[in-house]
Amino acid sequence: MASDKIIEVNRLSVSFDGKTVLSDASFSAYNGNITVILGGSGSGKTTVFKHILGLYPVEPGKIFLLGNDIATLDENEQNKLYLKMGVFYQNGGLLSSLTVGENVALPLEQHTDLPDEIIKEIASQKLSLVNLNDTYHMYPSQLSGGMFKRAALARAIVMDPQMLLCDEPGSGLDPVSLASLDNLIIELKKQLQMSVVMVTHEVSSILRIADRIIFLADSKVIFEGPVSDALSSDKKPLINFFNKS
């Protein structure tokens, strides 16, 4: 397997209650890229995402993350591997009972032995990176939609991950806030030298942020490649998705 592949999915097949969701799906995501997994409703993109996160067993098929076959790892090895990845959930996943700063600091408290003052300093730095300098002692309910998403992003990057996994990060945002979030992810990718793999259906976001696209349709990967090639494709599902005439 090439060393620049951060994710390699090989012949993944998934069925639920007798219904085929994925059939022999194969694709790769590469170091330094923003890779977007997309497709219509029910195409299997969320199912792929959950398999990458290790939430479902990979059978049949194989998934390699950062060069590791996740099916061969024991629990301790899997935990160490997933600490190299940040996850940005669709709903943000912030705990309402904790302040914004405490939410961001939580992974450091759970997975490191750093002193409390260092943890607080790192959390504050990450909030600064997402332009939330004065929110440490606020609660999630006090944040606007865009601020809430940025706080969730700060928590996803607090461990300086090699890879950021995003599940519909812009869901529910207005166009201006969505563009701002996209630009922030692009900037953080450069600053932190991380790779990004994202599931989204927002066309404007895809055109703004993606280096490569994985397009799912009819239970299969029907396209894998640069955005420019996707836009010039003659495949009907891609044409329909991007509203081409």
Side-chain angles (χ1 to χ4, degrees):
M1 185 174 59
S3 60
D4 62 344
K5 290 182 180 179
I6 55 168
I7 295 177
E8 187 173 8
V9 175
N10 288 336
R11 305 192 68 178
L12 178 64
S13 295
V14 181
S15 296
F16 294 118
D17 298 326
K19 181 182 178 182
T20 299
V21 179
L22 293 169
S23 177
D24 259 357
S26 298
F27 66 86
S28 299
Y30 293 87
N31 185 44
N33 281 182
I34 297 179
T35 303
V36 175
I37 302 171
L38 64 147
S41 177
S43 62
K45 54 186 184 293
T46 299
T47 299
V48 168
F49 192 81
K50 289 181 177 180
H51 276 79
I52 291 171
L53 288 176
L55 300 178
Y56 294 140
V58 182
E59 189 178 284
K62 286 185 178 292
I63 294 179
F64 295 87
L65 299 181
L66 301 175
N68 299 274
D69 181 350
I70 60 175
T72 66
L73 303 179
D74 61 30
E75 186 176 352
N76 184 55
E77 290 170 331
Q78 281 195 8
N79 289 338
K80 288 182 178 178
L81 175 62
Y82 281 105
L83 286 178
K84 298 177 182 178
M85 305 175 201
V87 183
F88 186 176
Y89 294 102
Q90 179 177 349
N91 64 3
L94 300 182
L95 300 176
S96 60
S97 60
L98 300 181
T99 68
V100 172
E102 288 168 343
N103 268 286
V104 174
L106 195 58
L108 293 169
E109 293 177 351
Q110 292 177 325
H111 302 295
T112 76
D113 296 319
L114 293 170
D116 289 346
E117 62 269 22
I118 299 299
I119 288 177
K120 184 174 181 178
E121 181 179 342
I122 293 171
S124 296
Q125 289 173 351
K126 291 303 191 287
L127 284 169
S128 179
L129 279 178
V130 299
N131 305 315
L132 292 176
N133 302 63
D134 301 318
T135 63
Y136 195 100
H137 298 290
M138 295 174 66
Y139 283 87
S141 61
Q142 297 175 285
L143 303 179
S144 68
M147 293 170 70
F148 189 95
K149 296 283 189 177
R150 283 184 276 142
L153 179 57
R155 189 178 66 176
I157 64 171
V158 74
M159 298 280 287
D160 292 327
Q162 289 179 238
M163 187 192 330
L164 177 64
L165 302 171
C166 305
D167 180 21
E168 299 279 6
S171 177
L173 293 181
D174 62 82
V176 174
S177 297
L178 177 61
S180 177
L181 181 65
D182 288 341
N183 291 330
L184 181 57
I185 291 173
I186 293 169
E187 184 59 32
L188 289 174
K189 186 206 81 163
K190 296 175 184 176
Q191 288 188 39
L192 303 178
Q193 297 184 318
M194 64 184 178
S195 306
V196 180
V197 177
M198 179 185 296
V199 171
T200 185
H201 68 279
E202 302 281 357
V203 174
S204 62
S205 185
I206 293 162
L207 297 178
R208 192 161 38 236
I209 203 170
D211 295 307
R212 297 181 75 254
I213 284 174
I214 312 298
F215 197 97
L216 301 173
D218 300 322
S219 307
K220 299 179 183 298
V221 176
I222 68 163
F223 176 87
E224 176 180 1
V227 180
S228 56
D229 290 354
L231 294 174
S232 60
S233 172
D234 59 0
K235 294 183 178 180
K236 190 172 181 179
L238 271 80
I239 294 172
N240 291 340
F241 187 88
F242 288 108
N243 294 317
K244 294 179 4 185
S245 58

